[in-house]
Amino acid sequence: MKIRDVTKCLEEFELLGKAYGKAKSIVDKEGVPHFYIRILADLEDYLNELWEDKEGKKKMNKNNAKALSTLRQKIRKYNRDYETQITAYRQNPELSADEDEDKKTDDSEGSSSSSEDDDDEGISAAAFLKKKEGALESRSKFLKKIEDEDEEEEESEDEDWGSSDSESDSESDEDEGKYTSLASKFLKKVGTEEEKRILEKKKEDKAKKKQDRKSKKYEDDEDDNEGGEWEKVKGGVPLVKEKPKMFAKGTEINHAVVVKKLNEILQARGKKGTDRAAQIDLLQLLVGIAAENNLGIAIDLKIKFNIVASLYDYNPNLATYMKPEMWQKCLSSIDELLDILFAHDNIFIGQNIAEDSENLANAEQPLRIRGCILTLVERMDEEFVKIMQNTDPHSQEYVDHLKDEARVCKIIERVQTYLQEKGTTDEICRVYLRCILHTYYKFDYKAHQRQQGPAGDSKSEQDQAENEGEDSAVLMERLCKFIYAKDRTDRIRTCAILCHIYHHALHDRWYQARDLMLMSHLQDNIQHADPPVQILYNRTMVQLGICAFRQGLIKDAHNALLDIQSSGRAKELLGQGLLMRSMQERNQEQEKIEKRRQVPFHMHINLELLECVYLVSAMLLEIPYMAAHEFDARRRMISKQFHHQLRVGERQPLLGPPESMREHVVAASKAMKMGDWKTCHRFIVNEKMNGKVWDLFPEADKVRSMLVRKIQEESLRTYL
C-alpha cells in the first residue's frame, strides 16, 4: 500500500477472502474478528483516497489502474455484508482496537510470560492500526488458536528444567572455585545414584503431565464436536478405511430415501475433487442395501445404470482408455443389466421417460425407468476401439484384448434381440449398424469353404454347427436392407452402404459391389461427410480396387486405386497412421483428434499389397500405351507414380538383382518393354513376391494364373 501497488493489494484481498471462507465455521461460532473489520474499513478508505487523487491516477501504469477499478468495485460490494460493524469501527476505532487486544489476551490461556503481556499493553491503538502485517498475523493466530496454545504450553514445560538467570549466575560464581582448569569444568561428570533417581523421577513426572494434558485436550475436542462436523485423526498411525455410512442409524429405508441418496451421490459426479472410484463403491453399496431391504428390481436396475455411467466417467480425459479391471467390470455390469431386462418383461426403459414419471415401486403397473441400454452399449463399443488403438499391436496384450471382441459382439447381439421386441426403429438401426461394423471387414472362411466343397466334409461337430449358422453375406444383406428401408439419418445409411460394398468386395462379389457403389452416388458428395465416414469410404474404394484386380479387371482396379495412391498419403487416408508433418500444418490438438480416428490394427489393409496391386495394374496399362504412342508428342501419363518409380530405377548407377517390391515391378516393366514375358513373369511371380504379396490373397493360385495370362497378353501387345 505504501508503494501504491494496487495489483498486489488485489491479490492479497482475494487470498484473504479465501482464508476467511475456509474459516467460516469458526467465524460463525466465535463471531467476525475485529481485525478483519479494521482491514476492510482501512482498505476501503485507502482505495477511495487513491480514486479521488486524479493526478496520482494519471501516473499509474495500466495494470495498477485496472486493478484499482476492480478492487474498488469488489470491496464496495463485499463491505455491504459488514456495514454495521464497519460503521461502529469508524465511529470509535480505538475502542475496537482495544477490544481486539482483550480478545487476543483471553484466547491465549496457556501463556504464562508476563513480559509478553506488558509488550501487548504497550502498543497503542494508532500504532496497531498502522501495522497491516501485524493484523494479518493476529488473524492467523485467531484461526490457529489451538496450535498456539500447544506451543505455549510446551514452552512453559521446557522452562521447568532450567531456572532463572539470577540463579544460573550465582551457581556459575560458586562453581568457579571448584575446578583447577577450564577443560575439567566442561568434562562429563559422573553423578551419584541419588541424583540419577531424581532426574529419572523428573522425566517420568514430565511425561505423565504431558499425557494428562493431551487426554484432557482430546476430551474437550470431543465435547466441542458433538455435531459430528470434525473428526480427530491420530497422526502417524495408518487408518483402516471403514465403509462409509450411507444412512443414519434407525432410518427407515424405502424407495424415496434410496432415490434421494442416489441423487446425492450423482450430484458430485463431474465436480472437481470428486473421488470417482469411491463414487462407484458407494453406488455398489447402495445396490446391496436396496437388495437387503427388498426394494424391488426397478431400483436395482436404476442404480446399476448409474454404475455403468460412472465407470465410463472414471477417466476424465477423452483420449485415455479404460484400465483392464474397469473394462471387465463394465462388461459384467452390462451383462447383468441385460439379464434383468430379459428376465422381467414388465420393465420399460427409455431416455424419454422423465424422472417424475418413473415407476420404481408399484409392481401392479408396468415399471418405468429412465435410461438407455443402447447408449451404454455404443459407449462400450467406443471404449473397446479406444483400448485397441492404445495397445501395442505386436504384443500379446493386444491379442488378449482382441479376445474380448467376441464378448462385445455377444452383448450387441443381446441388445439387438431386446430392441427388436421393445425398441424404436431408430434404435434398431443404430444397433444394426454396430453389428455391421463388427462384421464387414471379416473374411467368412466357413462360407468360402462351403462354396469350394460340400458341407459334409467338415471334421468335427462344432465345425458342422458353425457351417449351419447364418452366412455373413446373408446377415449383412438382412441388416443393411432394414437400414436402407427404415433409417431417417443419412449417416447410418451411408455407413451401412459402404460396409456392404466392402463386404461384397472382400468376398469377390465384384459386380454387386460395383453396382451398389454406382447406385448410391456416394462419390458425388462424400467430401461433405465427417472424417470417420471419409476414412470408411477410402477403405471401401481400396477394397473395391483389389477385388477388381483379383477378377482380372485391371483398368477398373487402377481407376479405383488411383485417387488414394496418387496422393502419396495412403496410410493417412485409410486411418492407419499419421505422416510426419510440420507444426504449421497440424498442431498438437489436431494430432490428438486424428489419432482418435485411427482404425485398430486388426482392421488394417496391407499397404505393401495395395501399392503392389496398383503398380502392377499401372504397368499392364502403361507399358503397351507407351509402346503404341512412342512418337506421339501429346502422349499423356496414365500413372504419375509408376513413371516416378521408372525414373528412380533408371537413375541408379549400378543395377543389381531387385530387392524390394518396387524394384521387382520396375525390373518387370523393363522386361515387358522388350516383349520378354517370361522374364517379366519371373520378376512379378517369385518366392519373394509370393511371401510379400500374392500369398496374402485367399485364392493365391487363381491370382497368379490370372497374372501370367495378363502379362502374356500385354507383352505381346507391346511387342507388336
Side-chain angles (χ1 to χ4, degrees), residues 17 71 130 200 204 255 377 428 443 514 523 643 657 679:
L71 184 54
K130 286 177 188 175
E200 283 175 9
E204 284 173 12
H255 290 85
V377 170
I428 294 170
F443 187 80
R514 184 200 63 183
Q523 58 272 32
H643 275 277
T679 310

Side-chain angles (χ1 to χ4, degrees), residues 382-394:
E382 286 164 15
E383 286 294 336
F384 175 71
V385 171
K386 215 185 286 182
I387 288 168
M388 301 312 292
Q389 284 171 342
N390 288 279
T391 309
D392 178 15
H394 306 293

